[in-house]
């Protein structure tokens, strides 16, 4: 099992952050490794799919909204990829907060084999790439949405362009077998 913790300051309120993040089907907008997130009957259970280095993984999860001590969402998978976690939005001012993600994941054997190393490689990849980049892309996506809602199309488009550029970099790293395994690339 791997445990990761990532946090990031956000330039908008915990209320805005939580409401945007809790719209789970929107997650692929800032997490390009996610193919889809869909609510199932009843609305509390979701189905998630992702693709890492050509391996498709899926799971179902139950999520619970949090109000105390901070706004957020807690989840636990009930089938498929085993994971549990919490996202909290800790107020700093009326217009800013800290987003903190804690997650435990049971690494599937097929994914561990792709990294051909100790769990340190996978933990680093999850914490410093997937989660860190996801939080940064969430911040920029929400900033872009808020800019467009204010009528600032130029800023909104610039932020979405930055998110798209990062998404392309992430997709390239997800498909590159040499990125995190220590293998040498034969390309120039």
């Amino acid at each position: 099992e791997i445990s990761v913790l990532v946090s990031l300051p956000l330039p908008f309120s915990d209320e805005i952050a939580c409401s945007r993040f809790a719209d789970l089907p929107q997650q692929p907008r800032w997490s390009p490794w996610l193919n889809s997130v869909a609510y199932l009957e009843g609305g509390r259970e979701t189905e998630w799919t992702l693709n890492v280095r050509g391996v498709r993984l899926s799971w179902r999860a139950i999520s619970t909204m949090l109000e105390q001590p901070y706004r957020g969402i807690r989840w636990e998978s009930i089938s498929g990829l085993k994971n549990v976690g919490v996202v909290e939005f800790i107020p700093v001012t009326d217009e800013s907060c800290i987003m903190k993600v804690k997650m435990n994941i049971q690494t599937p054997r097929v994914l561990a084999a792709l990294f051909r190393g100790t769990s340190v490689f996978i933990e680093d990849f999850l914490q410093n790439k997937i989660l860190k980049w996801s939080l940064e892309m969430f911040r920029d996506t929400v900033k872009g949405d808020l800019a467009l809602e204010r009528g600032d199309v130029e800023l909104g488009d610039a932020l979405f362009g930055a998110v798209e550029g990062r998404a392309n970099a992430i997709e390239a790293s997800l498909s590159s077998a040499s990125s995190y395994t220590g293998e040498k690339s034969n390309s120039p």
Side-chain angles (χ1 to χ4, degrees):
E1 181 170 290
I2 294 173
S3 297
V4 292
L5 172 64
V6 180
S7 63
L8 183 75
L10 300 176
F12 37 85
S13 72
D14 61 316
E15 182 178 358
I16 289 171
C18 188
S19 68
R20 302 291 171 122
F21 192 85
D23 187 357
L24 299 178
Q26 295 295 313
Q27 294 277 328
R29 289 183 66 205
W30 52 81
S31 297
W33 40 87
L34 285 172
N35 296 91
S36 66
V37 180
Y39 286 108
L40 302 176
E41 292 179 34
R44 195 166 159 231
E45 188 176 328
T46 49
E47 184 172 55
W48 300 67
T49 60
L50 64 81
N51 191 348
V52 176
R53 294 188 178 165
V55 176
R56 184 182 166 105
L57 302 169
S58 64
W59 66 96
R60 288 186 176 196
I62 297 207
S63 302
T64 306
M65 294 303 298
L66 305 174
E67 293 295 328
Q68 296 294 327
Y70 306 110
R71 294 177 197 262
I73 187 167
R74 179 183 317 276
W75 75 91
E76 183 170 358
S77 66
I78 56 173
S79 70
L81 182 66
K82 300 292 182 207
N83 66 94
V84 61
V86 63
V87 177
E88 295 177 312
F89 300 96
I90 303 162
V92 176
T93 69
D94 288 345
E95 298 299 319
S96 67
C97 66
I98 302 287
M99 180 181 192
K100 186 165 74 171
V101 178
K102 293 185 251 181
M103 188 169 104
N104 294 328
I105 183 168
Q106 189 69 40
T107 309
R109 286 184 205 147
V110 66
L111 191 55
L114 289 174
F115 285 85
R116 293 191 196 120
T118 67
S119 64
V120 173
F121 288 116
I122 298 171
E123 185 173 340
D124 179 66
F125 182 75
L126 282 172
Q127 184 164 307
N128 296 318
K129 300 296 182 228
I130 289 193
L131 286 179
K132 181 177 180 273
W133 287 353
S134 182
L135 268 61
E136 291 169 351
M137 290 173 66
F138 170 74
R139 176 198 60 208
D140 293 344
T141 298
V142 173
K143 283 172 56 178
D145 287 346
L146 293 172
L148 290 177
E149 290 167 15
R150 286 190 315 269
D152 190 343
V153 175
E154 187 175 326
L155 177 59
D157 286 348
L159 288 163
F160 291 133
V163 169
E164 185 177 332
R166 176 160 285 176
N168 291 337
I170 291 168
E171 288 174 13
S173 73
L174 289 176
S175 62
S176 170
S178 62
S179 295
Y180 299 99
T181 61
E183 296 175 13
K184 293 190 181 203
S185 173
N186 292 331
S187 60

